[in-house]
Amino acid sequence: MRQWAQRLVRQWAVRALTSAVAAKTALVVGAVAVVAALLFGVFFLLVAASESEADTKSGGLSGVACATAGAAVTEQGLTAEQRGHASTIIRVGRQMGIPVRGHIVAIATALQESGLRNLSHGDRDSLGLFQQRPSQGWGTRAQIMTPAYASKTFYEHLVRVRGWESMSVAGAAQSVQHSAFPDAYARHEQHAAEIVASTAQVEDGHRVVPASTGSGCTPQGSAGTAVTVGWVRVALAQVGKPYVWGATGPDSFDCSGLIVYALRQSGYGLGVRTSQQMHSVSLPVPSGKERTGDLVFSEFQAGGPAHVMVVVRPGLLVEAPRTGLNVRTRAYDAQKEGLAFGRLPDSQLRPVGA
């Protein structure tokens, strides 16, 4: 009986010890699992943060997307009356040879002053789309209430402003209007760019896409280095300036001169000058793999491409096209146009002053 009791006690003790060990093991395993999960979570957050930071540092661009040509004006939240007035403003600008950026300034101004409506009243004797005043020499009441006349006089005053092309949209508008609220025009810039883009015209068989560069219209979502992002923005800021063969800025450009200038303004000299030379030193990029800042080559001849452009984002480029056409952004179709892409190697970029 005593032996049986001792054996029973030993079995109970072994079971108790085994259970304790198992419980302790489970507790340790559970603790390890919790710690591992926490560590993984921290690691994931750190990776996500570093990737976000890397996107920023590497030139992942954010902000307002550039207006895309072809969008219907009805999608811009305008009434039939407003669409008609917008068309008049843009048509008059084209007839006067005003650069696209001037159209954006005019539309933004009319949005702020009248909501793109031909008002018969306003502050003191202000009238019409741009709230122009007969007492200030803008014309008679009947003239100012005629949208085409009001648009023409607005543009005439705009082009008299020295350096308006390089001003922000709000700055250019204020230089004409002398408003008590000079910053109010800025909030209409993107809407104005979209309205102008929706009426984009065709040049040389290409649909021109207006680029509003004064307040955040950037190539959105395209990766690139910080250097690349910087000089592409400089190139975009030249939209509307004339093409002049051999010119490298700041007031006019040829195709490769635009690239040389944009890089120089961003602190880098380029080891080559012509489109053929740029093509010869660039690393080939397959069509469909291009990104912000890649070069676009066309018009191939025996000595190489006669024309070079810059990718703003896939499907959109900026270029100084040819005599008679200003620096512009436009959509492209690589296959139809026979385009080739290249990427400038770091070895070709020399810090200015180094």
Side-chain angles (χ1 to χ4, degrees):
M1 181 71 178
R2 180 181 298 175
Q3 291 177 346
W4 178 83
Q6 290 175 342
R7 187 165 55 252
L8 183 63
V9 169
R10 283 197 300 271
Q11 291 175 349
W12 177 85
V14 169
R15 289 175 182 172
L17 180 61
T18 301
S19 297
V21 170
K24 186 174 182 180
T25 301
L27 182 62
V28 170
V29 170
V32 170
V34 170
V35 172
L38 289 173
L39 289 174
F40 178 79
V42 171
F43 174 76
F44 178 81
L45 290 173
L46 289 173
V47 169
S50 65
E51 287 178 347
S52 177
E53 182 179 2
D55 285 345
T56 300
K57 290 182 177 180
S58 68
L61 294 174
S62 60
V64 181
C66 290
T68 301
V73 180
T74 53
E75 296 177 359
Q76 312 308 327
L78 302 180
T79 65
E81 177 194 2
Q82 291 170 315
R83 292 196 301 273
H85 294 323
S87 296
T88 297
I89 293 170
I90 295 167
R91 183 183 69 252
V92 171
R94 288 174 180 165
Q95 291 171 347
M96 296 176 65
I98 304 296
V100 169
R101 187 167 181 78
H103 306 170
I104 296 172
V105 173
I107 294 291
T109 302
L111 284 168
Q112 170 59 28
E113 297 292 352
S114 67
L116 264 177
R117 293 170 296 164
N118 197 27
L119 300 179
S120 61
H121 59 276
D123 179 49
R124 288 170 281 190
D125 59 337
S126 298
L127 298 165
L129 290 171
F130 301 95
Q131 290 292 279
Q132 297 157 335
R133 300 177 60 190
S135 64
Q136 299 300 310
W138 286 91
T140 66
R141 179 184 178 88
Q143 287 173 325
I144 292 173
M145 289 298 295
T146 303
Y149 175 90
S151 301
K152 179 175 178 289
T153 54
F154 177 86
Y155 286 127
E156 287 173 345
H157 281 72
L158 177 65
V159 297
R160 292 177 194 151
V161 176
R162 185 174 182 180
W164 72 268
E165 300 96 329
S166 59
M167 293 180 179
S168 67
V169 167
Q174 174 62 10
S175 295
V176 175
Q177 298 295 105
H178 305 292
S179 171
F181 306 98
D183 299 325
Y185 303 105
R187 63 193 177 99
H188 298 288
E189 179 176 351
Q190 180 61 23
H191 193 189
E194 291 167 356
I195 292 170
V196 174
S198 70
T199 62
Q201 63 190 102
V202 173
E203 292 180 353
D204 294 348
H206 302 300
R207 181 170 290 277
V208 178
V209 183
S212 171
T213 58
S215 65
C217 178
T218 59
Q220 188 175 33
S222 297
T225 66
V227 172
T228 300
V229 171
W231 75 260
V232 171
R233 284 189 173 131
V234 172
L236 284 170
Q238 312 315 310
V239 168
K241 293 183 179 180
Y243 175 99
V244 174
W245 188 85
T248 57
D251 300 317
S252 58
F253 307 89
D254 66 11
C255 64
S256 56
L258 176 64
I259 296 167
V260 170
Y261 175 81
L263 282 166
R264 186 170 65 242
Q265 293 300 111
S266 300
Y268 288 86
L270 186 58
V272 293
R273 168 64 177 86
T274 68
S275 59
Q276 294 87 349
Q277 292 169 338
M278 291 179 186
H279 182 256
S280 68
V281 302
S282 294
L283 304 174
V285 175
S287 179
K289 301 294 185 181
E290 69 272 17
R291 67 188 189 192
T292 301
D294 284 345
L295 303 185
V296 188
F297 300 102
S298 67
E299 301 177 24
F300 284 84
Q301 302 172 356
H307 191 51
V308 61
M309 304 159 281
V310 182
V311 174
V312 176
R313 57 172 169 75
L316 183 72
L317 59 78
V318 59
E319 66 170 343
R322 62 172 176 79
T323 302
L325 294 177
N326 296 328
V327 177
R328 65 186 183 182
T329 53
R330 68 168 178 85
Y332 67 82
D333 185 316
Q335 184 175 4
K336 288 183 179 179
E337 297 180 51
L339 305 177
F341 301 93
R343 189 166 298 154
L344 288 170
D346 292 342
S347 60
Q348 290 296 322
L349 303 179
R350 303 187 306 267
V352 174

